[in-house]
Each structure stands twice: as C-alpha cells, then as structure tokens.
Amino acid sequence: MYAIVEIAGQQFKVEKGRYVFTHRLEGDTDAALVFDKVLLVDNDGTISVGAPTVEGAQVSGKILEHLKGEKVIVFKKKRRKGYKKKNGHRQYLTKVLIEDITV
C-alpha cells in the first residue's frame, strides 16, 4: 500500500515504515503529524485518484529529527571578464517516519 502525498508544497510517494526527507517542518522531535492532502492511494491494486484529493484519506507520521542536507556548490563565471563567484548552500530538512496510511 502506498500513497502520493503533498507535504510542504512537494509531492512524495510514501509507504508505511519508510522515511521521507522534506523541507523543514514545524514541530519538535517525536511530534505526531497528519497529512490530509492525499492525491492518490494504491490499496493492494485498487487505485483511488483524488480530484484534487482523496476524501477521508490521511497519512500519519512522526518527526524523527531536524538536519541539514548535503552541501551544494553554486559557481558562477563569465568567461574573459575575470568574474568568478563561489557560494555554498545547505538545505534545512526534516526526517519523517510514515506510521500509517488510512483510506
């Protein structure tokens, strides 16, 4: 059983017992979360597609930790002009454990 859920403006395919890394969410560690924007549910071959969401479907999860992602190097250069600029960026992430999918 899996579901397509919108979390923090992004769509994720989630399954029970799996982890999802999302943009930083509000809440402390071990806080319970409920996601209502379920776009699709596959229940052992029976697919329910929402218009825009599946009514009555919910995905519950738990925040495991807040962390920072891998460093991304941003390098800009204009040839023959002597212009070079190097920046780095690390995205703030939240690790969420998917506990249950209810239809």
Side-chain angles (χ1 to χ4, degrees), residues 22-65:
T22 66
H23 289 299
R24 182 66 57 101
L25 299 174
E26 295 292 325
D28 296 328
T29 305
D30 294 332
L33 299 171
V34 176
F35 304 111
D36 295 337
K37 292 186 178 181
V38 180
L39 306 174
L40 180 138
V41 176
D42 181 5
N43 190 0
D44 299 326
T46 306
I47 297 175
S48 302
V49 180
T53 60
V54 178
E55 291 188 28
Q58 287 184 342
V59 174
S60 61
K62 180 173 78 170
I63 295 177
L64 294 180
E65 64 178 323

Side-chain angles (χ1 to χ4, degrees), residues 5 10-11 13 19 39 43 47 59 76 78 97-98:
V5 183
Q10 293 182 322
Q11 296 177 6
K13 179 181 175 182
Y19 303 110
L39 306 174
N43 190 0
I47 297 175
V59 174
K76 299 177 183 181
K78 294 187 180 177
L97 172 66
I98 304 300

